[in-house]
Amino acid sequence: MSQLLPRTPSFRLDGRRAVVTGAGRGIGLAAAASLGEAGAEVTLIARSINEISEAAEGLVARGCRADAVSLDILDFGAVAGFFSGRPAFDILVNNAGMNRPGPMTDLTLSDYDAVFDLNVKAAYFVAQACVRKLIADGRPGSLIHMGSQMGHVGGANRSLYCGTKWAIEGMSKAFALDLAPYQIRSNTIAPTFIETPMTRPFFEDATFRAGVLEKIKLGRLGTVEDVMGAVVFLASDAAALMTGTSLIVDGGWTAD
């Protein structure tokens, strides 16, 4: 042949270290599993050591390399110490988050502080600590922030959640610009409603469930498996030129 055929970049993550926050259940656990199955050595972090220890043991039984560390990511001194005391993590999944839905007229200062502190402030300083170690060790990296379709649209009774997820989108874009000289990429994943232990109680309301399904054009709720491929893609060499953008995994919600 007159020219060589191109080869698909690898989706494998062998030899890379990954850390996932809020990794004990739901999307965080799925992200950890996807990275481990792709060959990364994964550290699962959350406040509950029992939950993440069980998850890590399950991944090891599956043939993955995984360990668990109890860490409160709202303890910023502990976060800095966690990252500075270990070799750099090549991949960060900034997943820990929460929601306090309700009409904007009813929400309190305590509600605001709780949601913004975890969803934005903690995510910012976890990323900062991860990046400082990457730069010190002279390594490239991939930051993956778990956003939401609610970071691209509005939602009734979700003013705090939407505010934090729009903030994550802007934060990630600015990170991408700051970190490009170091070959550290920053992107978000923006899922629709994913059925998890945190969201399942909402779907017990038949009216709420029907309203959600009407907006998801593919006609079903998301599952954690729907997010796993996006995590591996953004972490891998297949996404080497992607930074400052968002992968929207929403079944067509934001297309309407």
Side-chain angles (χ1 to χ4, degrees):
M1 296 182 60
S2 59
Q3 62 184 42
L4 294 176
L5 289 173
R7 293 184 180 274
T8 304
S10 177
F11 288 80
R12 293 292 304 172
L13 302 172
D14 304 282
R16 300 184 198 182
R17 289 167 42 78
V19 60
V20 182
T21 68
R25 63 179 73 178
I27 292 174
L29 177 57
S34 68
L35 296 170
E37 289 171 355
E41 178 183 347
V42 187
T43 297
L44 292 76
I45 64 175
R47 287 182 297 179
S48 173
I49 188 61
N50 291 337
E51 193 170 53
I52 53 174
S53 292
E54 183 178 351
E57 289 168 6
L59 290 177
V60 170
R62 195 182 289 182
C64 303
R65 292 176 298 158
D67 68 323
V69 176
S70 175
L71 179 67
D72 180 356
I73 60 170
L74 289 168
D75 182 341
F76 302 116
V79 167
F82 169 82
F83 282 98
S84 66
R86 290 167 170 77
F89 288 97
D90 308 288
I91 302 155
L92 165 66
V93 180
N94 231 340
N95 169 74
M98 68 177 298
N99 186 17
R100 290 191 182 177
M104 64 85 65
T105 51
D106 294 351
L107 297 171
T108 66
L109 182 61
S110 175
D111 292 326
Y112 181 99
D113 287 343
V115 178
F116 271 82
D117 279 357
L118 183 60
N119 290 12
V120 181
K121 188 175 182 180
Y124 187 101
F125 287 103
V126 166
Q128 183 189 75
C130 180
V131 162
R132 283 176 171 173
K133 187 63 173 176
L134 280 168
I135 293 172
D137 289 0
R139 296 183 64 87
S142 175
L143 310 181
I144 303 168
H145 314 283
M146 202 55 64
S148 169
Q149 68 185 15
M150 295 299 176
H152 296 266
V153 296
N157 297 323
R158 278 170 169 70
S159 56
L160 292 181
Y161 192 74
C162 287
T164 63
K165 295 306 181 179
W166 279 81
I168 287 290
E169 291 294 335
M171 184 180 80
S172 179
K173 288 181 183 298
F175 283 175
L177 300 179
D178 286 349
L179 300 176
Y182 303 101
Q183 297 300 301
I184 298 171
R185 299 180 293 109
S186 179
N187 294 288
T188 69
I189 297 174
T192 189
F193 284 91
I194 304 294
E195 193 163 12
T196 68
M198 185 176 79
T199 64
R200 197 163 291 127
F202 298 128
F203 298 124
E204 294 173 0
D205 181 332
T207 301
F208 176 78
R209 184 185 182 96
V212 167
L213 290 175
E214 182 181 2
K215 290 194 172 186
I216 300 176
K217 304 310 176 186
L218 291 180
R220 65 171 176 85
L221 298 175
T223 68
V224 294
E225 289 82 3
D226 291 318
V227 182
M228 293 170 79
V231 172
V232 172
F233 171 62
L234 287 178
S236 75
D237 292 344
L241 199 60
M242 289 187 67
T243 194
T245 193
S246 182
L247 280 183
I248 304 177
V249 186
D250 71 346
W253 182 304
T254 60
D256 190 358

